[in-house]
Amino acid sequence: MPEADSFVVRHDDYPWRHSVWNCHREVEIHLITRSYGTQLVGDHVGEFAPGQLVVVGSWLPHDWVSHRGPEWPIEGRDLVVQFDPVWIGGLAATTPELNGVVEMIERSRHGLQIGGPHLNEAKAMMLELLRHSGARRLGLLIELLGVLAAADQVEVLSSVVFEDNALAEDYRRTQQAILMINSDYAAPLQLAEVAEQLGVRADYLSKVFRRNVGYSFSEYLMRIRLNRACHLLRTTKMKVSEVGFESGFSNLSNFNRLFVRQNSMTPREFRRSIRSEPDRMQPGAEYASRPSP
């Protein structure tokens, strides 16, 4: 973080070297401006679309995976604001008007996806932050945090709160395993195979993976595959059998069984149900493009 700034505001392309599963002490306000894919926040695995805004609290692992290779980069996919919660806590100690903000920051340790009328207001303010500096930018951040704290349509994403207790090597191995899954989820991946490629024992990887992610290796892989299947059912006309195969399921009956277990409906019922939903997941739409310099 530059010495002249109390917080960071940036527009990130995808892929980018820091666009990987990670966690940090700073609270992050993360707005997707374009693209679709898989959202990972704590033990939450779901879909993301343009316009989604999530507040990620301290040490909560997170990643947004667009399922496309580096040969198809996405310019300005993410708009990110990061700040140290200790800094805000210090301001709140002498500024009681920020008490609601401090409470929101504490709740964000589970990950908060913002909806309702406050969402559009917050998105506009994040874009405005890019256009200012100094005291004006600081004032906009405080105002943005107030809007987020007042939001009354909020989805709590992660059922687990994560602490800063992961050893650096354990965290690195977990990150490497997740990168392998996210880049090759349709392959017949096995924990033992991944552990061998990483040069570690399978029981060690199993232990640190569950502790750092909140799921076992196989549970996480299944959720990634099922989330990809949901996305394909939403956005393509592929046959259900093709969706299952493309998502990593070699057996159609097994695909159907696991899909029903997670979504309480069959893939065909899921596809029929989304036809009555808003067109929010249709490919090609974008919320905003990178502002001109």
Side-chain angles (χ1 to χ4, degrees):
M1 185 181 300
E3 292 184 3
D5 297 323
S6 301
F7 60 97
V8 170
V9 183
R10 65 172 190 263
H11 229 141
D12 293 342
D13 299 336
Y14 184 89
W16 185 50
R17 66 183 184 280
H18 295 307
S19 294
V20 295
W21 182 86
N22 70 103
C23 66
H24 39 71
R25 186 175 76 171
E26 292 78 16
V27 175
E28 179 170 304
I29 307 170
H30 198 111
L31 173 64
I32 296 293
T33 63
R34 51 177 60 188
S35 183
Y36 304 81
T38 300
Q39 173 178 265
L40 311 170
V41 180
D43 65 357
H44 165 83
V45 180
E47 294 178 88
F48 72 78
Q52 281 183 280
L53 189 155
V54 177
V55 185
V56 180
S58 295
W59 306 118
L60 183 62
H62 55 278
D63 192 12
W64 283 263
V65 182
S66 293
H67 298 288
R68 53 198 293 178
E71 68 274 14
W72 296 100
I74 305 168
E75 185 179 5
R77 190 195 70 164
D78 311 278
L79 178 52
V80 175
V81 177
Q82 288 182 345
F83 60 90
D84 192 329
V86 175
W87 168 63
I88 291 293
L91 292 179
T94 56
T95 312
E97 290 85 354
L98 293 178
N99 288 341
V101 169
V102 173
E103 293 173 4
M104 182 273 295
I105 290 172
E106 179 61 26
R107 289 188 291 120
S108 75
R109 296 181 68 196
H110 287 275
L112 306 176
Q113 185 160 301
I114 308 300
H118 292 91
L119 173 59
N120 288 332
E121 188 176 359
K123 289 189 293 191
M125 294 178 70
M126 288 186 69
L127 291 169
E128 191 69 15
L129 278 169
L130 289 168
R131 303 185 178 98
H132 296 278
S133 60
R136 174 59 175 152
R137 176 180 277 193
L138 175 60
L140 281 169
L141 174 66
I142 299 300
E143 191 176 351
L144 169 63
L145 293 175
V147 168
L148 297 174
D152 54 7
Q153 293 185 33
V154 178
E155 179 183 358
V156 178
L157 297 179
S158 177
S159 65
V160 181
V161 169
F162 292 78
E163 304 290 345
D164 178 28
N165 58 5
L167 297 175
E169 183 63 15
D170 293 350
Y171 180 84
R172 187 174 70 86
R173 294 301 189 188
T174 303
Q175 187 179 69
Q176 289 175 324
I178 286 177
L179 285 170
M180 291 178 66
I181 292 174
N182 291 345
S183 63
D184 206 16
Y185 59 88
L189 290 173
Q190 298 292 332
L191 173 66
E193 174 191 349
V194 172
E196 182 178 0
Q197 291 189 45
L198 296 180
V200 298
R201 288 166 37 193
D203 59 345
Y204 159 79
L205 182 60
S206 175
K207 179 181 177 180
V208 300
F209 194 97
R210 179 180 286 277
R211 183 174 67 225
N212 290 336
V213 179
Y215 290 114
S216 70
F217 178 92
S218 60
E219 289 171 331
Y220 177 84
L221 175 59
M222 182 191 69
R223 285 179 172 266
I224 290 293
R225 288 172 171 171
L226 290 173
N227 183 77
R228 181 59 175 165
C230 288
H231 178 73
L232 293 174
L233 289 167
R234 283 184 183 275
T235 60
T236 76
K237 296 182 179 180
M238 295 170 64
K239 296 179 180 179
V240 169
S241 58
E242 294 173 336
V243 168
F245 180 77
E246 182 72 18
S247 303
F249 296 94
S250 57
N251 183 288
L252 181 58
S253 61
N254 187 48
F255 169 53
N256 279 308
R257 179 179 60 83
L258 293 172
F259 194 95
V260 169
R261 190 173 78 182
Q262 176 167 295
N263 298 287
S264 301
M265 64 181 76
T266 67
R268 286 184 174 84
E269 290 169 339
F270 179 86
R271 176 169 272 167
R272 285 197 297 267
S273 73
I274 64 175
R275 289 172 182 165
S276 60
E277 292 182 358
D279 224 15
R280 69 177 184 87
M281 292 298 293
Q282 291 304 309
E286 295 175 349
Y287 166 67
S289 58
R290 179 193 291 269
S292 300

